[in-house]
Every structure is written in structure tokens, then in C-alpha cells.
Amino acid sequence: MTPHELSSAVSALRPRLLRFAHLQLRDASAAEDAVQDTLLAATERARQFAGAAAVSTWVFAILKNKIIDEFRRRSRQPQAAGDIEQEQGLEDALEEQFDERGHWVSHPTPWADPQASLEQKQFWAVFEVCISGLPEKPARVFGMRELLGMETTEICKELGLSASNCWVLLHRARLGLRDCLSRRWFGES
């Protein structure tokens, strides 16, 4: 692949890169910065691209590292008051799902055909809305674990969390996603 072809292929990926970065970082300017850094790094390393993987796989690997770097930078900053309030709102919503003995008030209904839903392009747009609606910390932990494929120990180290806190955040994110997807995608009330 010539440098020009590689550059064209990388540029064509920009919208997908931006969506993914925004989904993970939940900040348009941070996502734009991560994508710009990714495109710059891909351009600078074009000669190192051996073609052993698809261009998209190679570029998304670079973006993944840029996002992880941004998570590290953010983890060194104090949490904003708005994030704490948003997290409290999720906790209150979760409490309403259980009775005083800790049992589910209403059991979730099984989804009709989840595999078919996953294959639909619109599902991912709704998924993006749902994950963007989660508080930052649970969404970040979920994204690092499920979308970036990081190990729990690695996430805990990066974000300064205990393993139990990490699992609680993952659980909250999954419950929040399930609730949102049940309403927005599967039409449950």
C-alpha cells in the first residue's frame, strides 16, 4: 500500500474514529483531540505499517492507546460536582428497582431476538445515546472493560479503584444500559 493510499484510508476512517472516541471520552473536544493525535501518529508511522492487519484495525489500536492516555490524564484530576450528582441520580434510580429486602421489584423481561438487534445499525446509535447517558465513571469503566478490552486489574490501576468498586461500577453501567436499551430500543416500559 502506498503512503497516499494509506493516508486516504486513514482519512476515510475519521468519522468512525470520532464516534468511538466521543463514546468513550464523552467530550467532543477531547474526542477531536484524540482523533487528531491518532491521525497524526498514523501519518508519522505510515512507513511502519506492514499491512499485517487491516488499516482500520491498526488505526483503531492507535486510537485505543490515545483514549487510555486520556483516561490516565483525567484520573489524576479531581471529580467535578456535576459528575457526583449524576452518579447519585443513578444510585437513586437503582434503589427504586429493589424492595426493602433487596429483591427486584420488577423482573426484566427477556428480549425477543438480541442477536438480530445487534446486527442492526440503528441499535448502535441507540447504544451510543444510552452509554452517553450514564454517569462518567461507570461509563468509563464499562468502555474500558467491554469496548477497549482492558483487564479489570489494569482498569483499577489506571483509575485508582479497588476491584470491588470496579465491579460495582460495571454492574451499575450494565443496569443503566439495560434499562435504557429496554426503553429506547426494545420498547419496554
Side-chain angles (χ1 to χ4, degrees), residues 14-28:
R14 189 178 189 292
R16 288 179 49 210
L17 294 168
L18 196 53
R19 274 194 309 274
F20 183 75
H22 190 267
L23 179 65
Q24 293 302 310
L25 299 172
R26 303 174 56 146
D27 178 306

Side-chain angles (χ1 to χ4, degrees), residues 24 141-150 155 167 170 174:
Q24 293 302 310
V141 170
F142 180 85
M144 293 171 85
R145 172 78 175 158
E146 303 299 339
L147 301 174
L148 297 177
M150 295 173 68
I155 296 167
W167 288 110
L170 277 170
R174 289 175 179 138

Side-chain angles (χ1 to χ4, degrees), residues 63 78 101:
L63 178 60
R101 295 178 308 180

Side-chain angles (χ1 to χ4, degrees), residues 15 30 59:
V59 174

Side-chain angles (χ1 to χ4, degrees), residues 47-143:
R47 290 190 178 132
Q48 296 173 347
F49 179 68
V55 173
S56 61
T57 303
W58 179 65
V59 174
F60 269 92
I62 295 170
L63 178 60
K64 174 184 169 184
N65 291 326
K66 299 295 181 187
I67 291 171
I68 291 170
D69 290 345
E70 177 64 13
F71 286 154
R72 288 179 185 146
R73 186 192 64 74
R74 286 183 182 182
S75 71
R76 292 186 289 265
Q77 295 177 344
Q79 190 175 16
D83 295 337
I84 294 169
E85 291 170 11
Q86 194 175 22
E87 198 167 309
Q88 183 61 44
L90 178 63
E91 286 182 31
D92 293 344
L94 290 174
E95 286 298 318
E96 294 172 7
Q97 300 290 321
F98 301 92
D99 64 18
E100 60 278 347
R101 295 178 308 180
H103 298 287
W104 278 78
V105 175
S106 61
H107 298 284
T109 58
W111 293 345
D113 186 5
Q115 190 60 37
S117 295
L118 289 174
E119 295 170 1
Q120 296 181 20
K121 200 173 192 178
Q122 296 99 352
F123 173 82
W124 292 109
V126 173
F127 180 83
E128 217 171 299
V129 168
C130 289
I131 202 166
S132 296
L134 293 175
E136 184 175 344
K137 207 167 203 175
R140 181 186 304 172
V141 170
F142 180 85

Side-chain angles (χ1 to χ4, degrees), residues 32-54:
E32 183 67 40
D33 289 346
V35 169
Q36 289 298 332
D37 289 347
T38 299
L39 295 175
L40 180 62
T43 303
E44 289 173 348
R45 299 180 195 155
R47 290 190 178 132
Q48 296 173 347
F49 179 68

